[in-house]
Amino acid sequence: MLKETTPVLDDNLVLQARDVHFDWTSLPAHWVPGEPLATHVMNVLHLLLPAGERWFVEVFKQSLPLIQDEKLRRDVLGFIGQEAMHARAHTGVLEHFTATGLDCTPFTDQVEWFFGRVLGDRPGLRGGTATEWLVERLAIIAAIEHVTAFMGDWILNADGLDRAGTDPTMLDMLRWHGAEEVEHRSVAFDLFTHVDGRYRRRVQAMTITGPMLLMLWRRGVRFFYATDPALRHLSRPKLGDLKDTAARGVTPAISHVNRKIAAYYSPRYHPSREGSTEQAVAYLASSPAAQAAEHGHHA
């Protein structure tokens, strides 16, 4: 029988940050053609991830003195490098939105406040109390990284986006990011397990994180519907609309998301059971942006 949180494999993978670049000058407003809801469901990533991933980086840097395992330390440093690059790439999309007249700061300022003030450092804490707050945030990151891992696996396998004629640059960006999320899917969980690992804390973190992400996502989609000139005359999207996009394979099914989140509550859960490192590495070997970075020129 598998022991609790025991990985099913050891990838022996050295995580590396890829210096990718993307040219957004030709990006259509609805980059999944004819699918504004699918476009904006995924556009929410650009609103949330720059601040969120910079927060990941800062919390992980603070955790380094707690790490007693050299392989885990290397993995955490690789994770930090990849997450910093993800934040930069999504910031580039926000800059493109600004250049085209879409000001996202009313939303992104709130996201910055949330990660900086609600989940940020608390200078008044000392000693064990400060360590507890750090570990609490590591538990939250592990829960979020479970979501990004199964979403990364979904985007790598989302043939519906290819059939829909999704903008190739955006699709490469999302799949590059998704592949790296699959690559480093175990790091946050292994770090939390190394410094604490209590099952109760783990599930409490997901119980907080799941609804938090859902709330932010709904607000993000509504923000885009309110600011997209082509959609202002339409009512807000409904649950049935999301089911329709999922049926066409251009967004993940709600049942899939619920099933994947539920898996995190198993005492035997480990992220290595989510997705395929082989598939992720294979995509990165074919990604135009990742390959351009490897060969020292921009896509």
Side-chain angles (χ1 to χ4, degrees), residues 176-209:
W176 154 76
H177 187 167
E180 290 197 346
E181 291 297 331
V182 172
E183 264 196 322
H184 69 224
R185 65 194 182 278
S186 296
V187 177
F189 186 89
D190 289 347
L191 175 57
F192 168 68
T193 302
H194 181 72
V195 301
D196 184 282
R198 281 174 281 179
Y199 174 75
R200 181 175 179 179
R201 174 168 266 168
R202 166 156 72 88
V203 300
Q204 283 178 338
M206 180 58 82
T207 302
I208 294 167
T209 298

PDB file of all heavy atoms in Angstrom, residues 176-209:
ATOM      1  N   TRP A 176       3.538  26.605 -22.629  1.00  0.00           N
ATOM      2  CA  TRP A 176       4.862  26.696 -21.991  1.00  0.00           C
ATOM      3  C   TRP A 176       4.694  26.810 -20.479  1.00  0.00           C
ATOM      4  O   TRP A 176       5.350  26.094 -19.715  1.00  0.00           O
ATOM      5  CB  TRP A 176       5.614  27.909 -22.550  1.00  0.00           C
ATOM      6  CG  TRP A 176       6.629  28.460 -21.595  1.00  0.00           C
ATOM      7  CD1 TRP A 176       7.856  27.934 -21.305  1.00  0.00           C
ATOM      8  CD2 TRP A 176       6.485  29.626 -20.767  1.00  0.00           C
ATOM      9  NE1 TRP A 176       8.486  28.708 -20.345  1.00  0.00           N
ATOM     10  CE2 TRP A 176       7.663  29.750 -20.005  1.00  0.00           C
ATOM     11  CE3 TRP A 176       5.477  30.579 -20.615  1.00  0.00           C
ATOM     12  CZ2 TRP A 176       7.851  30.792 -19.085  1.00  0.00           C
ATOM     13  CZ3 TRP A 176       5.656  31.615 -19.715  1.00  0.00           C
ATOM     14  CH2 TRP A 176       6.838  31.711 -18.958  1.00  0.00           C
ATOM     15  N   HIS A 177       3.809  27.714 -20.060  1.00  0.00           N
ATOM     16  CA  HIS A 177       3.573  27.895 -18.632  1.00  0.00           C
ATOM     17  C   HIS A 177       3.013  26.609 -18.029  1.00  0.00           C
ATOM     18  O   HIS A 177       3.480  26.145 -16.984  1.00  0.00           O
ATOM     19  CB  HIS A 177       2.613  29.064 -18.402  1.00  0.00           C
ATOM     20  CG  HIS A 177       2.437  29.425 -16.964  1.00  0.00           C
ATOM     21  ND1 HIS A 177       1.831  30.585 -16.552  1.00  0.00           N
ATOM     22  CD2 HIS A 177       2.776  28.776 -15.812  1.00  0.00           C
ATOM     23  CE1 HIS A 177       1.810  30.633 -15.241  1.00  0.00           C
ATOM     24  NE2 HIS A 177       2.372  29.542 -14.761  1.00  0.00           N
ATOM     25  N   GLY A 178       2.014  26.021 -18.691  1.00  0.00           N
ATOM     26  CA  GLY A 178       1.422  24.792 -18.174  1.00  0.00           C
ATOM     27  C   GLY A 178       2.426  23.667 -18.061  1.00  0.00           C
ATOM     28  O   GLY A 178       2.429  22.904 -17.079  1.00  0.00           O
ATOM     29  N   ALA A 179       3.321  23.551 -19.047  1.00  0.00           N
ATOM     30  CA  ALA A 179       4.332  22.498 -19.007  1.00  0.00           C
ATOM     31  C   ALA A 179       5.273  22.685 -17.830  1.00  0.00           C
ATOM     32  O   ALA A 179       5.647  21.710 -17.152  1.00  0.00           O
ATOM     33  CB  ALA A 179       5.110  22.475 -20.327  1.00  0.00           C
ATOM     34  N   GLU A 180       5.652  23.929 -17.546  1.00  0.00           N
ATOM     35  CA  GLU A 180       6.527  24.156 -16.399  1.00  0.00           C
ATOM     36  C   GLU A 180       5.796  23.926 -15.088  1.00  0.00           C
ATOM     37  O   GLU A 180       6.407  23.478 -14.102  1.00  0.00           O
ATOM     38  CB  GLU A 180       7.121  25.571 -16.468  1.00  0.00           C
ATOM     39  CG  GLU A 180       8.116  25.722 -17.592  1.00  0.00           C
ATOM     40  CD  GLU A 180       9.020  26.944 -17.467  1.00  0.00           C
ATOM     41  OE1 GLU A 180       8.719  27.846 -16.646  1.00  0.00           O
ATOM     42  OE2 GLU A 180      10.027  27.000 -18.185  1.00  0.00           O
ATOM     43  N   GLU A 181       4.484  24.189 -15.054  1.00  0.00           N
ATOM     44  CA  GLU A 181       3.718  23.870 -13.849  1.00  0.00           C
ATOM     45  C   GLU A 181       3.705  22.359 -13.609  1.00  0.00           C
ATOM     46  O   GLU A 181       3.783  21.898 -12.459  1.00  0.00           O
ATOM     47  CB  GLU A 181       2.288  24.403 -13.964  1.00  0.00           C
ATOM     48  CG  GLU A 181       2.173  25.917 -13.937  1.00  0.00           C
ATOM     49  CD  GLU A 181       2.651  26.538 -12.631  1.00  0.00           C
ATOM     50  OE1 GLU A 181       2.561  25.871 -11.574  1.00  0.00           O
ATOM     51  OE2 GLU A 181       3.131  27.685 -12.667  1.00  0.00           O
ATOM     52  N   VAL A 182       3.589  21.592 -14.677  1.00  0.00           N
ATOM     53  CA  VAL A 182       3.656  20.140 -14.540  1.00  0.00           C
ATOM     54  C   VAL A 182       5.064  19.711 -14.134  1.00  0.00           C
ATOM     55  O   VAL A 182       5.241  18.849 -13.264  1.00  0.00           O
ATOM     56  CB  VAL A 182       3.212  19.449 -15.845  1.00  0.00           C
ATOM     57  CG1 VAL A 182       3.462  17.941 -15.778  1.00  0.00           C
ATOM     58  CG2 VAL A 182       1.735  19.723 -16.120  1.00  0.00           C
ATOM     59  N   GLU A 183       6.079  20.327 -14.730  1.00  0.00           N
ATOM     60  CA  GLU A 183       7.471  20.024 -14.365  1.00  0.00           C
ATOM     61  C   GLU A 183       7.700  20.172 -12.864  1.00  0.00           C
ATOM     62  O   GLU A 183       8.302  19.308 -12.218  1.00  0.00           O
ATOM     63  CB  GLU A 183       8.424  20.992 -15.077  1.00  0.00           C
ATOM     64  CG  GLU A 183       9.028  20.531 -16.346  1.00  0.00           C
ATOM     65  CD  GLU A 183      10.218  21.401 -16.735  1.00  0.00           C
ATOM     66  OE1 GLU A 183      10.181  22.628 -16.536  1.00  0.00           O
ATOM     67  OE2 GLU A 183      11.188  20.846 -17.250  1.00  0.00           O
ATOM     68  N   HIS A 184       7.252  21.302 -12.293  1.00  0.00           N
ATOM     69  CA  HIS A 184       7.584  21.564 -10.882  1.00  0.00           C
ATOM     70  C   HIS A 184       6.397  21.315  -9.949  1.00  0.00           C
ATOM     71  O   HIS A 184       6.361  21.831  -8.832  1.00  0.00           O
ATOM     72  CB  HIS A 184       8.160  22.970 -10.703  1.00  0.00           C
ATOM     73  CG  HIS A 184       7.217  24.116 -10.899  1.00  0.00           C
ATOM     74  ND1 HIS A 184       7.550  25.237 -11.618  1.00  0.00           N
ATOM     75  CD2 HIS A 184       5.962  24.354 -10.423  1.00  0.00           C
ATOM     76  CE1 HIS A 184       6.554  26.105 -11.582  1.00  0.00           C
ATOM     77  NE2 HIS A 184       5.583  25.586 -10.857  1.00  0.00           N
ATOM     78  N   ARG A 185       5.469  20.454 -10.369  1.00  0.00           N
ATOM     79  CA  ARG A 185       4.210  20.270  -9.643  1.00  0.00           C
ATOM     80  C   ARG A 185       4.381  19.752  -8.223  1.00  0.00           C
ATOM     81  O   ARG A 185       3.518  19.955  -7.374  1.00  0.00           O
ATOM     82  CB  ARG A 185       3.282  19.338 -10.421  1.00  0.00           C
ATOM     83  CG  ARG A 185       3.797  17.901 -10.575  1.00  0.00           C
ATOM     84  CD  ARG A 185       2.983  17.165 -11.638  1.00  0.00           C
ATOM     85  NE  ARG A 185       3.356  15.776 -11.842  1.00  0.00           N
ATOM     86  CZ  ARG A 185       4.354  15.361 -12.587  1.00  0.00           C
ATOM     87  NH1 ARG A 185       5.163  16.247 -13.158  1.00  0.00           N
ATOM     88  NH2 ARG A 185       4.590  14.074 -12.745  1.00  0.00           N
ATOM     89  N   SER A 186       5.490  19.084  -7.940  1.00  0.00           N
ATOM     90  CA  SER A 186       5.672  18.493  -6.611  1.00  0.00           C
ATOM     91  C   SER A 186       6.420  19.406  -5.643  1.00  0.00           C
ATOM     92  O   SER A 186       6.443  19.127  -4.436  1.00  0.00           O
ATOM     93  CB  SER A 186       6.435  17.160  -6.725  1.00  0.00           C
ATOM     94  OG  SER A 186       5.695  16.211  -7.458  1.00  0.00           O
ATOM     95  N   VAL A 187       7.024  20.485  -6.124  1.00  0.00           N
ATOM     96  CA  VAL A 187       7.967  21.234  -5.291  1.00  0.00           C
ATOM     97  C   VAL A 187       7.273  21.893  -4.104  1.00  0.00           C
ATOM     98  O   VAL A 187       7.733  21.777  -2.958  1.00  0.00           O
ATOM     99  CB  VAL A 187       8.725  22.284  -6.135  1.00  0.00           C
ATOM    100  CG1 VAL A 187       9.655  23.116  -5.230  1.00  0.00           C
ATOM    101  CG2 VAL A 187       9.537  21.601  -7.224  1.00  0.00           C
ATOM    102  N   ALA A 188       6.181  22.611  -4.341  1.00  0.00           N
ATOM    103  CA  ALA A 188       5.517  23.314  -3.244  1.00  0.00           C
ATOM    104  C   ALA A 188       4.982  22.329  -2.207  1.00  0.00           C
ATOM    105  O   ALA A 188       5.097  22.558  -0.994  1.00  0.00           O
ATOM    106  CB  ALA A 188       4.388  24.195  -3.781  1.00  0.00           C
ATOM    107  N   PHE A 189       4.411  21.224  -2.671  1.00  0.00           N
ATOM    108  CA  PHE A 189       3.884  20.214  -1.755  1.00  0.00           C
ATOM    109  C   PHE A 189       5.020  19.576  -0.954  1.00  0.00           C
ATOM    110  O   PHE A 189       4.911  19.392   0.265  1.00  0.00           O
ATOM    111  CB  PHE A 189       3.125  19.155  -2.546  1.00  0.00           C
ATOM    112  CG  PHE A 189       2.405  18.142  -1.699  1.00  0.00           C
ATOM    113  CD1 PHE A 189       1.101  18.368  -1.288  1.00  0.00           C
ATOM    114  CD2 PHE A 189       3.027  16.968  -1.313  1.00  0.00           C
ATOM    115  CE1 PHE A 189       0.432  17.430  -0.498  1.00  0.00           C
ATOM    116  CE2 PHE A 189       2.372  16.031  -0.529  1.00  0.00           C
ATOM    117  CZ  PHE A 189       1.070  16.263  -0.118  1.00  0.00           C
ATOM    118  N   ASP A 190       6.123  19.249  -1.630  1.00  0.00           N
ATOM    119  CA  ASP A 190       7.257  18.635  -0.934  1.00  0.00           C
ATOM    120  C   ASP A 190       7.882  19.603   0.064  1.00  0.00           C
ATOM    121  O   ASP A 190       8.332  19.182   1.140  1.00  0.00           O
ATOM    122  CB  ASP A 190       8.305  18.167  -1.940  1.00  0.00           C
ATOM    123  CG  ASP A 190       7.857  16.951  -2.735  1.00  0.00           C
ATOM    124  OD1 ASP A 190       6.856  16.319  -2.354  1.00  0.00           O
ATOM    125  OD2 ASP A 190       8.513  16.637  -3.750  1.00  0.00           O
ATOM    126  N   LEU A 191       7.907  20.888  -0.272  1.00  0.00           N
ATOM    127  CA  LEU A 191       8.437  21.877   0.667  1.00  0.00           C
ATOM    128  C   LEU A 191       7.543  21.979   1.892  1.00  0.00           C
ATOM    129  O   LEU A 191       8.033  21.972   3.036  1.00  0.00           O
ATOM    130  CB  LEU A 191       8.565  23.239  -0.021  1.00  0.00           C
ATOM    131  CG  LEU A 191       9.005  24.407   0.873  1.00  0.00           C
ATOM    132  CD1 LEU A 191      10.343  24.116   1.557  1.00  0.00           C
ATOM    133  CD2 LEU A 191       9.089  25.694   0.062  1.00  0.00           C
ATOM    134  N   PHE A 192       6.236  22.064   1.682  1.00  0.00           N
ATOM    135  CA  PHE A 192       5.325  22.113   2.822  1.00  0.00           C
ATOM    136  C   PHE A 192       5.465  20.851   3.678  1.00  0.00           C
ATOM    137  O   PHE A 192       5.515  20.921   4.913  1.00  0.00           O
ATOM    138  CB  PHE A 192       3.873  22.269   2.352  1.00  0.00           C
ATOM    139  CG  PHE A 192       2.878  22.029   3.454  1.00  0.00           C
ATOM    140  CD1 PHE A 192       2.777  22.924   4.516  1.00  0.00           C
ATOM    141  CD2 PHE A 192       2.087  20.901   3.459  1.00  0.00           C
ATOM    142  CE1 PHE A 192       1.886  22.692   5.563  1.00  0.00           C
ATOM    143  CE2 PHE A 192       1.190  20.657   4.492  1.00  0.00           C
ATOM    144  CZ  PHE A 192       1.090  21.556   5.547  1.00  0.00           C
ATOM    145  N   THR A 193       5.549  19.692   3.028  1.00  0.00           N
ATOM    146  CA  THR A 193       5.696  18.437   3.772  1.00  0.00           C
ATOM    147  C   THR A 193       6.998  18.419   4.568  1.00  0.00           C
ATOM    148  O   THR A 193       7.048  17.927   5.707  1.00  0.00           O
ATOM    149  CB  THR A 193       5.647  17.249   2.792  1.00  0.00           C
ATOM    150  OG1 THR A 193       4.411  17.277   2.082  1.00  0.00           O
ATOM    151  CG2 THR A 193       5.792  15.928   3.523  1.00  0.00           C
ATOM    152  N   HIS A 194       8.056  18.986   3.996  1.00  0.00           N
ATOM    153  CA  HIS A 194       9.370  19.006   4.643  1.00  0.00           C
ATOM    154  C   HIS A 194       9.355  19.862   5.907  1.00  0.00           C
ATOM    155  O   HIS A 194       9.946  19.491   6.924  1.00  0.00           O
ATOM    156  CB  HIS A 194      10.396  19.551   3.647  1.00  0.00           C
ATOM    157  CG  HIS A 194      11.791  19.616   4.157  1.00  0.00           C
ATOM    158  ND1 HIS A 194      12.573  18.502   4.367  1.00  0.00           N
ATOM    159  CD2 HIS A 194      12.576  20.692   4.507  1.00  0.00           C
ATOM    160  CE1 HIS A 194      13.768  18.868   4.815  1.00  0.00           C
ATOM    161  NE2 HIS A 194      13.797  20.190   4.906  1.00  0.00           N
ATOM    162  N   VAL A 195       8.681  21.006   5.868  1.00  0.00           N
ATOM    163  CA  VAL A 195       8.725  21.919   7.016  1.00  0.00           C
ATOM    164  C   VAL A 195       7.570  21.715   7.989  1.00  0.00           C
ATOM    165  O   VAL A 195       7.635  22.180   9.131  1.00  0.00           O
ATOM    166  CB  VAL A 195       8.755  23.392   6.557  1.00  0.00           C
ATOM    167  CG1 VAL A 195       9.972  23.656   5.676  1.00  0.00           C
ATOM    168  CG2 VAL A 195       7.471  23.790   5.837  1.00  0.00           C
ATOM    169  N   ASP A 196       6.517  21.010   7.563  1.00  0.00           N
ATOM    170  CA  ASP A 196       5.365  20.810   8.449  1.00  0.00           C
ATOM    171  C   ASP A 196       4.636  19.530   8.061  1.00  0.00           C
ATOM    172  O   ASP A 196       4.784  18.516   8.706  1.00  0.00           O
ATOM    173  CB  ASP A 196       4.423  22.023   8.360  1.00  0.00           C
ATOM    174  CG  ASP A 196       3.263  21.938   9.325  1.00  0.00           C
ATOM    175  OD1 ASP A 196       2.286  21.205   9.048  1.00  0.00           O
ATOM    176  OD2 ASP A 196       3.327  22.604  10.374  1.00  0.00           O
ATOM    177  N   GLY A 197       3.820  19.608   7.010  1.00  0.00           N
ATOM    178  CA  GLY A 197       3.200  18.405   6.461  1.00  0.00           C
ATOM    179  C   GLY A 197       1.955  17.916   7.159  1.00  0.00           C
ATOM    180  O   GLY A 197       1.434  16.848   6.812  1.00  0.00           O
ATOM    181  N   ARG A 198       1.434  18.674   8.139  1.00  0.00           N
ATOM    182  CA  ARG A 198       0.240  18.197   8.828  1.00  0.00           C
ATOM    183  C   ARG A 198      -0.954  18.123   7.875  1.00  0.00           C
ATOM    184  O   ARG A 198      -1.251  19.076   7.170  1.00  0.00           O
ATOM    185  CB  ARG A 198      -0.081  19.106  10.007  1.00  0.00           C
ATOM    186  CG  ARG A 198       0.780  18.840  11.228  1.00  0.00           C
ATOM    187  CD  ARG A 198       0.527  19.846  12.329  1.00  0.00           C
ATOM    188  NE  ARG A 198       1.215  21.106  12.064  1.00  0.00           N
ATOM    189  CZ  ARG A 198       1.136  22.172  12.866  1.00  0.00           C
ATOM    190  NH1 ARG A 198       0.377  22.134  13.946  1.00  0.00           N
ATOM    191  NH2 ARG A 198       1.802  23.265  12.565  1.00  0.00           N
ATOM    192  N   TYR A 199      -1.609  16.972   7.895  1.00  0.00           N
ATOM    193  CA  TYR A 199      -2.746  16.752   6.996  1.00  0.00           C
ATOM    194  C   TYR A 199      -3.835  17.787   7.236  1.00  0.00           C
ATOM    195  O   TYR A 199      -4.401  18.345   6.277  1.00  0.00           O
ATOM    196  CB  TYR A 199      -3.298  15.339   7.200  1.00  0.00           C
ATOM    197  CG  TYR A 199      -4.565  15.070   6.421  1.00  0.00           C
ATOM    198  CD1 TYR A 199      -4.520  14.859   5.041  1.00  0.00           C
ATOM    199  CD2 TYR A 199      -5.802  15.039   7.069  1.00  0.00           C
ATOM    200  CE1 TYR A 199      -5.677  14.613   4.324  1.00  0.00           C
ATOM    201  CE2 TYR A 199      -6.960  14.800   6.357  1.00  0.00           C
ATOM    202  CZ  TYR A 199      -6.896  14.584   4.989  1.00  0.00           C
ATOM    203  OH  TYR A 199      -8.055  14.358   4.278  1.00  0.00           O
ATOM    204  N   ARG A 200      -4.125  18.070   8.487  1.00  0.00           N
ATOM    205  CA  ARG A 200      -5.198  19.020   8.785  1.00  0.00           C
ATOM    206  C   ARG A 200      -4.875  20.394   8.196  1.00  0.00           C
ATOM    207  O   ARG A 200      -5.751  21.048   7.618  1.00  0.00           O
ATOM    208  CB  ARG A 200      -5.406  19.119  10.290  1.00  0.00           C
ATOM    209  CG  ARG A 200      -6.530  20.077  10.686  1.00  0.00           C
ATOM    210  CD  ARG A 200      -6.771  20.047  12.182  1.00  0.00           C
ATOM    211  NE  ARG A 200      -7.827  20.963  12.562  1.00  0.00           N
ATOM    212  CZ  ARG A 200      -8.258  21.141  13.800  1.00  0.00           C
ATOM    213  NH1 ARG A 200      -7.737  20.434  14.790  1.00  0.00           N
ATOM    214  NH2 ARG A 200      -9.215  22.006  14.064  1.00  0.00           N
ATOM    215  N   ARG A 201      -3.648  20.836   8.330  1.00  0.00           N
ATOM    216  CA  ARG A 201      -3.273  22.142   7.779  1.00  0.00           C
ATOM    217  C   ARG A 201      -3.368  22.129   6.257  1.00  0.00           C
ATOM    218  O   ARG A 201      -3.780  23.108   5.645  1.00  0.00           O
ATOM    219  CB  ARG A 201      -1.865  22.508   8.230  1.00  0.00           C
ATOM    220  CG  ARG A 201      -1.338  23.787   7.591  1.00  0.00           C
ATOM    221  CD  ARG A 201      -0.070  24.255   8.275  1.00  0.00           C
ATOM    222  NE  ARG A 201      -0.371  25.226   9.317  1.00  0.00           N
ATOM    223  CZ  ARG A 201       0.507  25.646  10.231  1.00  0.00           C
ATOM    224  NH1 ARG A 201       1.728  25.154  10.240  1.00  0.00           N
ATOM    225  NH2 ARG A 201       0.157  26.539  11.131  1.00  0.00           N
ATOM    226  N   ARG A 202      -2.980  21.021   5.661  1.00  0.00           N
ATOM    227  CA  ARG A 202      -3.041  20.912   4.197  1.00  0.00           C
ATOM    228  C   ARG A 202      -4.474  21.056   3.695  1.00  0.00           C
ATOM    229  O   ARG A 202      -4.727  21.811   2.752  1.00  0.00           O
ATOM    230  CB  ARG A 202      -2.455  19.566   3.763  1.00  0.00           C
ATOM    231  CG  ARG A 202      -2.759  19.204   2.316  1.00  0.00           C
ATOM    232  CD  ARG A 202      -1.736  18.248   1.759  1.00  0.00           C
ATOM    233  NE  ARG A 202      -1.807  16.901   2.265  1.00  0.00           N
ATOM    234  CZ  ARG A 202      -2.576  15.939   1.738  1.00  0.00           C
ATOM    235  NH1 ARG A 202      -3.370  16.196   0.735  1.00  0.00           N
ATOM    236  NH2 ARG A 202      -2.536  14.718   2.239  1.00  0.00           N
ATOM    237  N   VAL A 203      -5.411  20.332   4.305  1.00  0.00           N
ATOM    238  CA  VAL A 203      -6.783  20.375   3.799  1.00  0.00           C
ATOM    239  C   VAL A 203      -7.447  21.707   4.146  1.00  0.00           C
ATOM    240  O   VAL A 203      -8.298  22.207   3.392  1.00  0.00           O
ATOM    241  CB  VAL A 203      -7.612  19.175   4.290  1.00  0.00           C
ATOM    242  CG1 VAL A 203      -6.982  17.878   3.818  1.00  0.00           C
ATOM    243  CG2 VAL A 203      -7.797  19.172   5.800  1.00  0.00           C
ATOM    244  N   GLN A 204      -7.084  22.282   5.281  1.00  0.00           N
ATOM    245  CA  GLN A 204      -7.618  23.607   5.605  1.00  0.00           C
ATOM    246  C   GLN A 204      -7.178  24.635   4.568  1.00  0.00           C
ATOM    247  O   GLN A 204      -7.965  25.505   4.176  1.00  0.00           O
ATOM    248  CB  GLN A 204      -7.161  24.032   7.004  1.00  0.00           C
ATOM    249  CG  GLN A 204      -7.927  23.363   8.134  1.00  0.00           C
ATOM    250  CD  GLN A 204      -7.409  23.771   9.506  1.00  0.00           C
ATOM    251  OE1 GLN A 204      -6.260  24.208   9.649  1.00  0.00           O
ATOM    252  NE2 GLN A 204      -8.239  23.622  10.514  1.00  0.00           N
ATOM    253  N   ALA A 205      -5.933  24.522   4.124  1.00  0.00           N
ATOM    254  CA  ALA A 205      -5.434  25.456   3.117  1.00  0.00           C
ATOM    255  C   ALA A 205      -6.222  25.333   1.821  1.00  0.00           C
ATOM    256  O   ALA A 205      -6.561  26.342   1.191  1.00  0.00           O
ATOM    257  CB  ALA A 205      -3.949  25.206   2.870  1.00  0.00           C
ATOM    258  N   MET A 206      -6.525  24.106   1.396  1.00  0.00           N
ATOM    259  CA  MET A 206      -7.314  23.946   0.178  1.00  0.00           C
ATOM    260  C   MET A 206      -8.747  24.412   0.372  1.00  0.00           C
ATOM    261  O   MET A 206      -9.357  24.988  -0.541  1.00  0.00           O
ATOM    262  CB  MET A 206      -7.294  22.490  -0.287  1.00  0.00           C
ATOM    263  CG  MET A 206      -8.101  22.258  -1.569  1.00  0.00           C
ATOM    264  SD  MET A 206      -7.543  23.262  -2.986  1.00  0.00           S
ATOM    265  CE  MET A 206      -6.175  22.273  -3.576  1.00  0.00           C
ATOM    266  N   THR A 207      -9.284  24.212   1.559  1.00  0.00           N
ATOM    267  CA  THR A 207     -10.652  24.646   1.839  1.00  0.00           C
ATOM    268  C   THR A 207     -10.765  26.166   1.759  1.00  0.00           C
ATOM    269  O   THR A 207     -11.808  26.713   1.377  1.00  0.00           O
ATOM    270  CB  THR A 207     -11.092  24.135   3.227  1.00  0.00           C
ATOM    271  OG1 THR A 207     -10.985  22.707   3.242  1.00  0.00           O
ATOM    272  CG2 THR A 207     -12.513  24.536   3.545  1.00  0.00           C
ATOM    273  N   ILE A 208      -9.689  26.862   2.099  1.00  0.00           N
ATOM    274  CA  ILE A 208      -9.637  28.321   1.942  1.00  0.00           C
ATOM    275  C   ILE A 208      -9.347  28.701   0.487  1.00  0.00           C
ATOM    276  O   ILE A 208      -9.985  29.581  -0.087  1.00  0.00           O
ATOM    277  CB  ILE A 208      -8.557  28.923   2.860  1.00  0.00           C
ATOM    278  CG1 ILE A 208      -8.920  28.727   4.328  1.00  0.00           C
ATOM    279  CG2 ILE A 208      -8.329  30.397   2.554  1.00  0.00           C
ATOM    280  CD1 ILE A 208      -7.773  28.998   5.284  1.00  0.00           C
ATOM    281  N   THR A 209      -8.390  28.003  -0.110  1.00  0.00           N
ATOM    282  CA  THR A 209      -7.878  28.382  -1.423  1.00  0.00           C
ATOM    283  C   THR A 209      -8.892  28.149  -2.535  1.00  0.00           C
ATOM    284  O   THR A 209      -9.034  28.982  -3.442  1.00  0.00           O
ATOM    285  CB  THR A 209      -6.584  27.597  -1.716  1.00  0.00           C
ATOM    286  OG1 THR A 209      -5.612  27.952  -0.733  1.00  0.00           O
ATOM    287  CG2 THR A 209      -6.055  27.897  -3.098  1.00  0.00           C
TER     288      THR A 209
END
